[in-house]
Amino acid sequence: MTVRVGVIGAGMIGQDHIRRLTDVVTGARVTAVTDLDAARAAEVAASVGATAYPTSADLIASPDVDAVLVTSWGPTHAEHVLGAIAAGKPVFCEKPLATTAEDCLRVVEAERAYGRRLVQVGFMRRFDAGYRQMKQVLASGSIGTPLIVHCAHRNPTVGDTYHSAMAAQDTAVHEIDVLRWLLDDEIVSAQVITPRATSKRFAHLKDPQIMYFETANGVRIDLEVFVNCQYGYDIQCETVGEDGLVRLPDPAAAHVRTAGQHSSAVLQDWKARFADAFDTEFREWIASVTAGAEPTGPSAWDGYAATVISDAAVRSLESDGTVVTADMKPRPTFYGGTA
């Protein structure tokens, strides 16, 4: 079986995923594309032999579309995901699931009413080999009960459209999701502190930021978000347990000794760092659609949780470092909860 995928949103990430589904992942074919820019949709669709549709509703309703990929502007995600659920079609939604907790809950309730999981959210770190190794170590109990997690998320630079709230909403949200998964624990509060600001930032941006999270089981997490670090794209994560620690490995790189120095290259962007994770993410999603099974990746509930927690971090930033409770609804049994 070949899964026929309709793509809503033909911008940078949409085009990259279309390339991935066309050239990397077997068992999938992009058959439909739509975008607010009709000319761009037509051009991208023609490049892969797909049909350009005038609206997302037309694309979702098409009999030539088995599954939907949402890579449009964030505030439109909920509308498109709800449309796919109403049509009974599996839908992969790039993060965020929605830009408000209320819209995330609308998706959650629609999916529960449908009666089975159709939604997967694009938090690709769960598919990274290093994070999966960390998950195995933590699940084995070999380092004992987790106590503390230290993280860093560094970018060389960001553009002038990047604003202070995006440090939580667009950047730290990846750590928020992957740490909930690694620890199998819920984050219940957030605090954001701003140290001395780098002179390499735009004046409107608070950078770096230090974020503190606490989980329901009392694990303390510190996360440095520094999006103008200059030297590269650097993701770090270390979990300290009662009997040891586990650290996320750096990407494989050659070590060079020359001229009295020992060096290795630092990656410069997220695409290179997580290329394999993106590929694995889509291979597993297409495999689940092919099998007629529920997706195994991040759920609509995970999308909701990430939005609630990142919103708490933004409120803390805006209130000069107040500890803010993540006001989350009880997790339904539909998503593995007890409520």
Side-chain angles (χ1 to χ4, degrees), residues 111-125:
E111 189 176 47
R112 290 177 68 191
Y114 184 79
R116 69 187 298 265
R117 277 193 58 195
L118 291 173
V119 180
Q120 179 166 322
V121 182
F123 290 117
M124 77 294 185
R125 293 207 188 170

Side-chain angles (χ1 to χ4, degrees), residues 275-320:
D276 289 344
F278 279 118
D279 292 348
T280 301
E281 174 183 50
F282 275 91
R283 285 193 186 100
E284 294 189 12
W285 179 59
I286 291 297
S288 71
V289 176
T290 301
E294 294 187 349
T296 58
S299 68
W301 183 260
D302 294 318
Y304 162 71
T307 297
V308 170
I309 297 161
S310 59
D311 284 352
V314 172
R315 291 200 303 275
S316 177
L317 173 70
E318 293 172 345
S319 60
D320 296 323

Side-chain angles (χ1 to χ4, degrees), residues 83-134:
I85 293 171
K89 295 186 178 183
V91 52
F92 183 108
C93 181
E94 264 301 343
K95 65 91 180 168
L97 175 62
T99 51
T100 68
E102 292 75 17
D103 276 348
C104 288
L105 283 176
R106 289 173 61 210
V107 172
V108 164
E109 292 308 317
E111 189 176 47
R112 290 177 68 191
Y114 184 79
R116 69 187 298 265
R117 277 193 58 195
L118 291 173
V119 180
Q120 179 166 322
V121 182
F123 290 117
M124 77 294 185
R125 293 207 188 170
R126 299 191 189 197
F127 301 87
D128 175 73
Y131 278 110
R132 287 188 163 187
Q133 290 167 11
M134 290 186 72

Side-chain angles (χ1 to χ4, degrees), residues 133-189:
Q133 290 167 11
M134 290 186 72
K135 178 73 168 175
Q136 290 170 356
V137 170
L138 291 170
S140 74
S142 61
I143 70 165
T145 302
L147 306 173
I148 307 167
V149 183
H150 306 293
C151 298
H153 187 145
R154 305 181 183 116
N155 294 64
T157 59
V158 291
D160 62 359
T161 59
Y162 189 102
H163 53 79
S164 297
M166 291 173 71
Q169 294 168 335
D170 280 21
T171 302
V173 70
H174 285 290
E175 275 78 16
I176 288 168
D177 177 74
V178 82
L179 290 172
R180 293 178 59 250
W181 173 72
L182 281 174
L183 298 171
D184 193 21
D185 196 0
E186 195 55 83
I187 293 171
V188 296
S189 70

